[in-house]
Amino acid sequence: MKSINADAVILGGGTAGMSAFRAARKSTDSVYLVEDHQFGTTCARVGCMPSKLLIAAAEAAHHVRQAEQFGVHPDGALRIDGHQVMTRVRSERDRFVGFVLEDVQAFPADHRILGRARFKNEHVVIVDDHTEITAKRIVIATGSRPFVVPAWQSLGERLIVNDNVFDWETLPASVAVFGAGVIGLEIGQALHRLGVKVHVFGKDNALGGITDPVVLEKALDIFGQEMDLHLDADTQVSLLPSGKGVKVDYSENGTSGTVTVDYLLAATGRKPNVEDLGLENVNIDLDQRGVPKADPYTMQTSVAHIFIAGDASNQLPLLHEAADQGFIAGVNAGTFPTVTEGLRRSQISVVFSDPQIASIGMRYKEITDKYDSCGCYAVGEVSFSNQGRSRVMGVNKGHLRIYAEHGSGRLLGAEMVGPAAEHLAHLLAWAHQQKMTITQMLDMPFYHPVIEEGVRTALRDLSAKLRLTKDLAGECVECPGQ
């Protein structure tokens, strides 16, 4: 077995791992990157990029169907070629993966190690049966994988996760999507618009990660008009006797039914890849899911020289968060024992459905958990149903709610479903990171006619509701201690 002594070793070659590797190498050349399967990122291979390619095809089909509202009538019936759709998805996906691999291949070849790593102790990891690395510092960046209900394994090849969708050569006739979060909603709606019969199943009427009840009610109405949603259903699934499909029996709100589909798509969340790391050989503090606990500003675990980043950290499983966490962990792994806090940006989340769903800063649930005891916040809102530019474009669906603090007038967060939500969310996230007040935001320029005018309407509504009385410290006098 080969033995290596290193200043730092990074476990995982995805977004967080690559970011950590680059950052650590600014302090030392003695850094090694270990990947157990294939280098590259979840985003490029099976995540954000291929899903957006599928969504882009779905939007093209949807625009054709919606054209007649403008007096535009495409000649002939809409025809969707599933082979062509998936060929483009796979081709462009491979192109994006290629760019990532070019970055990896630029790393020194003798510092890239392929194999599964396990902790032998707090300073030693074993890679398969061929390499033992003794490292002064270690970064865990092993990513995540789709969670699948164990009972569904009996469905065999009829059970798929989002990873499998992008390897299809053509589109199936029907799919049951289990999970109405980001992945389930994005892929489910895209397949529906591409002519696949889609049934979406979920629990507790949750949809797209929305926590604001007003926004959620609007979203349930919008998406429920387009797709077959069963978002509080008890279900039982089984393989058809022929083995060529799946039967789903469900009951919901006193009614019951059965659907048969070609595939069951499990979109019930992702699970950090930490259980096969040999963490039992390390005296490290774990959370309830068995994930090492870490300071979100340093990514340092309870073992001072071990850091964790990206999806493996079980904090915010988003690409930009993984890149930031990886950078922070890599910097600290490179400079240890000096450990510094890194930049953590305002939270921003986007679901690329149509209409889009987004949130920035604190979500409604976080707002109410913190402020409800004193009522020290106000909500401004706008409906997009009659918003000028939205109506001109025929995309006038949705609702935006913005939250601000009484006393300081500071923007706290927002949730929305509506047109161009990805762009509205960026504007609001920038304002949130700058700790702007609602008054300062209203002083910013707004052009006419643009969808962003809806933000101004919500801000004006919020401004009228805010109480800006301050004590000497500039905090809300109605909310002492906040």
Side-chain angles (χ1 to χ4, degrees):
M1 181 177 291
K2 182 179 180 180
S3 295
I4 295 175
N5 289 304
D7 284 341
V9 61
I10 315 299
L11 308 182
T15 298
M18 292 169 64
S19 181
F21 183 77
R22 293 189 191 98
R25 290 190 70 222
K26 292 180 180 179
S27 299
T28 173
D29 289 330
S30 182
V31 185
Y32 290 81
L33 182 64
V34 180
E35 168 58 41
D36 74 336
H37 179 50
Q38 53 187 347
F39 288 97
T41 67
T42 295
C43 173
R45 289 188 183 280
V46 296
C48 26
M49 300 314 294
S51 67
K52 301 313 167 286
L53 287 162
L54 191 70
I55 290 168
E59 288 179 342
H62 184 67
H63 290 159
V64 174
R65 294 189 183 101
Q66 296 297 308
E68 65 179 32
Q69 70 175 307
F70 301 103
V72 177
H73 303 275
D75 292 335
L78 174 65
R79 183 176 66 88
I80 296 171
D81 187 319
H83 282 94
Q84 283 187 297
V85 169
M86 297 311 300
T87 295
R88 181 175 187 270
V89 168
R90 295 196 310 277
S91 175
E92 289 296 308
R93 181 270 312 271
D94 293 345
R95 182 170 173 268
F96 287 121
V97 171
F99 293 147
V100 176
L101 293 181
E102 286 178 7
D103 290 343
V104 174
Q105 288 162 4
F107 298 159
D110 58 346
H111 284 236
R112 289 183 271 125
I113 302 172
L114 200 61
R116 180 177 293 275
R118 285 179 54 84
F119 282 91
K120 181 178 180 180
N121 57 50
E122 293 182 354
H123 279 284
V124 179
V125 295
I126 306 295
V127 184
D128 287 343
D129 57 358
H130 56 71
T131 306
E132 180 177 283
I133 305 174
T134 301
K136 297 175 183 176
R137 287 91 70 183
I138 299 171
V139 176
I140 301 169
T142 46
S144 65
R145 66 187 185 282
F147 170 77
V148 176
V149 176
W152 293 347
Q153 298 291 351
S154 62
L155 301 177
E157 64 180 13
R158 295 294 158 176
L159 169 66
I160 60 171
V161 295
N162 62 291
D163 303 32
N164 307 125
V165 169
F166 309 119
D167 285 327
W168 279 341
E169 293 188 0
T170 190
L171 296 169
S174 56
V175 173
V177 178
F178 275 68
V182 176
I183 295 173
L185 185 56
E186 286 186 353
I187 295 181
Q189 186 184 46
L191 292 176
H192 166 76
R193 290 185 170 184
L194 288 168
V196 179
K197 179 61 179 175
V198 174
H199 309 271
V200 180
F201 293 92
K203 297 296 292 183
D204 302 322
N205 284 311
L207 185 67
I210 300 169
T211 72
D212 188 303
V214 176
V215 178
L216 178 60
E217 182 181 11
K218 180 56 67 174
L220 289 171
D221 178 59
I222 293 170
F223 291 101
Q225 290 183 37
E226 180 177 355
M227 294 190 294
D228 183 26
L229 301 181
H230 302 281
L231 299 184
D232 196 21
D234 294 319
T235 59
Q236 184 172 356
V237 303
S238 57
L239 192 64
L240 291 177
S242 64
K244 296 182 178 180
V246 177
K247 176 185 176 185
V248 181
D249 295 306
Y250 65 91
S251 60
E252 181 180 29
N253 299 325
T255 64
S256 60
T258 298
V259 298
T260 58
V261 293
D262 293 331
Y263 295 99
L264 185 154
L265 170 60
T268 48
R270 296 184 69 86
K271 186 176 183 180
N273 293 326
V274 295
E275 70 273 18
D276 293 326
L277 280 178
L279 291 176
E280 66 275 9
N281 299 320
V282 181
N283 184 22
I284 192 169
D285 291 343
L286 307 176
D287 66 15
Q288 67 275 14
R289 296 182 66 181
V291 177
K293 297 178 181 179
D295 184 315
Y297 293 96
T298 64
M299 305 315 299
Q300 187 177 41
T301 69
S302 63
V303 179
H305 68 273
I306 297 179
F307 304 85
I308 190 167
D311 286 9
S313 72
N314 196 30
Q315 293 186 11
L316 292 168
L318 298 168
L319 178 135
H320 59 275
E321 292 288 345
D324 285 352
Q325 290 179 18
F327 178 79
I328 294 168
V331 166
N332 286 327
T335 61
F336 187 82
T338 300
V339 174
T340 56
E341 293 187 351
L343 171 66
R344 298 313 307 268
R345 307 169 210 268
S346 289
Q347 291 186 28
I348 179 172
S349 175
V350 178
V351 183
F352 290 88
S353 53
D354 179 25
Q356 294 175 339
I357 296 167
S359 67
I360 69 98
M362 296 174 70
R363 297 182 183 226
Y364 182 82
K365 185 179 186 305
E366 296 171 297
I367 296 285
T368 54
D369 286 348
K370 179 176 180 179
Y371 290 98
D372 257 7
S373 61
C374 64
C376 198
Y377 69 96
V379 181
E381 56 194 307
V382 64
S383 169
F384 287 103
S385 60
N386 282 312
Q387 196 272 329
R389 181 65 182 277
S390 300
R391 193 166 187 87
V392 166
M393 297 170 64
V395 292
N396 49 313
K397 296 179 181 179
H399 206 87
L400 164 65
R401 300 246 288 175
I402 302 178
Y403 323 118
E405 184 180 64
H406 285 312
S408 70
R410 182 170 57 89
L411 172 66
L412 296 174
E415 290 193 49
M416 70 197 82
V417 57
E422 60 181 297
H423 306 299
L424 305 187
H426 275 85
L427 291 177
L428 290 169
W430 290 4
H432 181 268
Q433 185 156 318
Q434 292 298 314
K435 297 180 170 56
M436 293 179 70
T437 67
I438 303 306
T439 299
Q440 290 170 330
M441 293 171 69
L442 280 169
D443 286 341
M444 294 294 103
F446 288 87
Y447 202 74
H448 175 78
V450 293
I451 290 175
E452 285 77 2
E453 286 181 299
V455 173
R456 184 175 60 185
T457 300
L459 291 174
R460 284 173 171 170
D461 180 47
L462 183 50
S463 179
K465 298 173 180 175
L466 278 173
R467 299 187 296 275
L468 299 180
T469 304
K470 300 179 181 179
D471 65 9
L472 294 177
E475 299 297 332
C476 177
V477 296
E478 300 171 41
C479 196
Q482 290 289 349

